Amino acid sequence: MAGWREQRGKAVLLPMANIDTDQLIPARFMSTPRAEGYGRFLLHDVRRTSEGALDPAFPLNAHPDACILVAGRNFGSGSSREAAVYALVDAGVRVVVAPSFGDIFAGNAVNNGLLPARVSEADAELLVRTLSSGAAPGHADLTSGLLHIAGVSLPFQLDEVWRTKLLNGWDDIDLTRQHAADIAAYRARLVSEPGRFPFGGAG
Amino acid sequence: MNAPLTLLDRLWSIHEVHRGADGASLLWVDRHLVHEGSHHAFARLAERGLPVVEPGLTFAVVDHYAPTRRAGPIADPAIARMIDTLRGNAARHGLRLFDLNDPDQGIVHVVGPEQGLTLPGLLITCGDSHTSTHGAFGALAFGIGATEVAHVLATQTIWQRKPQAMRITVDGALPAGVSAKDIALNWIARLGADGAQGHAVEYAGSAIRSLSMEGRMTLCNLTIEGGGRMGMVAPDEVSFAYLRDRPYAPRGDDWQKALHNWHALASDADARFDRDVALSAEQIAPIVTWGTSPEQALPIDASVPDPETLPPTKVQAARAALDYMGLAPGRPLAGTPVDQVFIGSCTNGRIEDLRAAAAVLAGRKARVPGLVSPGSAQVKAQAEEEGLDRVFTEAGLDWVASGCSMCVGMNGDLVAAGKRCASSTNRNFRGRQGKGARTHLMSPAMVAAAAVTGTLCDVRPLLQGRVL
């Protein structure tokens, strides 16, 4: 995963709360290998009419090139399926702005270079008003912690650990291996603790 | 004097291998559970040519795509491929696999405790958000994404920032016909589907102590529906009695030593919680969801809400939910016709759940079709020994094998578009049980009542004079 410092692209409003991961990608698509691309599954059923046609009123159908999504609270709640993040990333989305995110989703997002930018409810409402007439150019800057959307500038909240990770694009497995000695010492202590290894299993 | 500690503090410090300067902890994982959906993580491992570092701590279960009708080959090649991929990964890395025809197969969150893989004081991860279930035993258990699954497979550790501590205390005695499911939907309706975001939730109070392990698992399972990644209950004699002699639980002297350690797993009386919420058990009624988020739930004697009367931030979501659910504001929830029912899932597919549903259905007929899928092959065998399967089949419901089944529909057990399902599961999200499906979440007893009347209804009158 490549790190990044800023993203520039089209900001689009998705004015719904509780957009859960089942909506982001319905379960029936999740047996697909990642190499085939997940972008076409993004919000697959939500963006279609009951007859199955793309709903022209759905913002992402008018703006399939969206880079920044502005959504309601509790974005990405529900299942731990990382496929929800794959669908966003493969569709070209790099930033989701919302007042709150599902905890597991937000972690998954950062692990795939997608910024979960948390803003206050008041700032979210300001963005909703700003974007209600249509999409606009947007800019997210990890270094300054600022969003610039349609001439409005406002700060976003992001855990420092996550900021570093997005900037560097680090792979945790490589980072963790630097602690191999600590891990080995910890494991050696476990053998004397009842229950830490399953009965009958190797300690 | 040391500062008072929460159960979360204790569990966290037990597992902390290293703490970075940025405050993130590297935690040891005692048990890692994988399933068919873990294929992305195994693929990532293969790309890097890495082994599973602790195959003895990694357990594989076929559940998400498990056909609930096991006779004959699997018709859908995509489903067969998912199961075969897990088999291949388990064989390649030397993992214990609970395969389809294993007498110990079941839903991962039912199998873990049943096998004694879940124990107090352990850290348990799984690529499934309902991993919070295992916290019912005083374990630190949480769902993770595929990148994290790959990390645990490769290192047996995980990076996490410690969540804040939240306590939900429920005191008093639960009225008849009211269960752990109702406690959970009650607090989620009150605090919101993001009410516990960023928090680990410890459940405390006399009503929690009175719950069986099955009830505590239901409660911890549903913590994620209120936004909390972890739920937990301090272990006690109820937990120990459940775990004794389970296949992977410690034996003999080790059991005694483990018990000694487990008794220390509790929050200090004066521990400080970042958030503290209290509920009275007596005031909890059977509850059903009316919308497309678990927070959209009301007692069964309530009416469908008028979105215009809700707080401004909830109005639009309520309008959209009622439109999707095909419900009219102001109409009583009770009496809403359902098309089918489902009893099962990691939330409510355990033996006690089946007994509660059977107590309502015994000697009665279901007016609508439905599926009963026990949470594991062991639960299925136990239910059949008790004759519960006959209660369900004589009522007209289908008694099938175990798996995630109609909770998520990956195995093809789906609710058709526009159909209304009374369901003992955990998510009423749009399309969760199938494209266009309308899900009402409720306790297994309430699902059974809906089957009997063909409508959403209060189970309590149907329990009059029955032995529970």
Side-chain angles (χ1 to χ4, degrees), chain B residues 241-263:
Chain B
Y242 178 99
L243 291 169
R244 184 187 289 273
D245 299 328
R246 298 274 171 185
Y248 290 100
R251 308 269 168 101
D253 278 356
D254 272 357
W255 173 260
Q256 293 304 329
K257 285 184 210 157
L259 270 186
H260 176 79
N261 293 346
W262 295 345
H263 277 290

Side-chain angles (χ1 to χ4, degrees), chain A:
Chain A
M1 184 183 90
W4 57 269
R5 194 159 297 276
E6 58 179 353
Q7 296 288 346
R8 283 177 198 278
K10 193 185 269 189
V12 173
L13 185 63
L14 208 57
M16 301 139 75
N18 292 322
I19 297 180
D20 55 71
T21 54
D22 278 81
Q23 289 180 71
L24 287 168
I25 178 168
R28 64 184 184 276
F29 300 122
M30 285 168 51
S31 57
T32 309
R34 175 71 191 280
E36 291 177 23
Y38 271 52
R40 64 204 149 108
F41 305 138
L42 177 63
L43 293 159
H44 186 278
D45 295 343
V46 186
R47 66 201 295 169
R48 283 171 172 79
T49 64
S50 49
E51 289 76 40
L54 285 173
D55 175 1
F58 193 80
L60 272 184
N61 292 335
H63 306 286
D65 54 342
C67 170
I68 300 173
L69 291 185
V70 177
R73 73 175 178 96
N74 205 21
F75 186 91
S77 51
S79 137
S80 63
R81 59 183 74 165
E82 198 160 300
V85 175
Y86 302 159
L88 285 159
V89 170
D90 290 359
V93 177
R94 294 291 174 269
V95 181
V96 180
V97 183
S100 64
F101 293 89
D103 287 344
I104 306 178
F105 172 86
N108 291 343
V110 171
N111 280 330
N112 289 276
L114 175 73
L115 166 64
R118 197 155 52 84
V119 296
S120 69
E121 288 278 0
D123 282 348
E125 280 167 31
L126 175 63
L127 285 178
V128 170
R129 286 196 299 277
T130 307
L131 287 172
S132 58
S133 54
H139 177 218
D141 188 329
L142 283 176
T143 320
S144 66
L146 289 174
L147 296 165
H148 308 279
I149 294 174
V152 175
S153 291
L154 42 88
F156 62 86
Q157 305 288 315
L158 181 68
D159 184 299
E160 277 310 310
V161 177
W162 287 355
R163 187 191 311 272
T164 309
K165 211 163 156 176
L166 286 168
L167 282 166
N168 295 303
W170 282 337
D171 182 321
D172 278 350
I173 293 178
D174 293 332
L175 274 185
T176 303
R177 286 179 152 183
Q178 298 168 14
H179 302 286
D182 287 342
I183 296 172
Y186 183 93
R187 189 194 192 279
R189 289 203 304 273
L190 291 185
V191 181
S192 63
E193 293 184 26
R196 295 298 291 275
F197 288 95
F199 179 80

Side-chain angles (χ1 to χ4, degrees), chain B residues 185-235:
Chain B
L185 289 176
N186 186 293
W187 81 251
I188 295 166
R190 186 192 294 198
L191 303 180
D194 52 0
Q197 226 160 48
H199 291 75
V201 179
E202 179 178 347
Y203 296 94
S206 58
I208 307 302
R209 288 282 144 233
S210 302
L211 288 176
S212 65
M213 280 321 304
E214 284 83 353
R216 296 178 192 183
M217 283 191 262
T218 299
L219 199 50
C220 288
N221 172 285
L222 289 165
T223 306
I224 185 67
E225 306 316 327
R229 199 171 180 176
M230 311 165 195
M232 59 187 75
V233 177

Side-chain angles (χ1 to χ4, degrees), chain B residues 56-109:
Chain B
L57 299 180
T58 312
F59 294 83
V61 182
V62 177
D63 60 2
H64 280 70
Y65 289 83
T68 45
R69 291 170 174 90
R70 299 274 163 86
I74 299 172
D76 184 335
I79 290 174
R81 194 185 68 231
M82 288 297 282
I83 295 173
D84 280 339
T85 301
L86 181 67
R87 287 173 180 149
N89 283 319
R92 194 167 302 120
H93 296 286
L95 313 182
R96 164 77 167 99
L97 171 69
F98 296 88
D99 206 343
L100 279 182
N101 294 319
D102 192 307
D104 295 329
Q105 181 270 348
I107 306 174
V108 65
H109 309 309

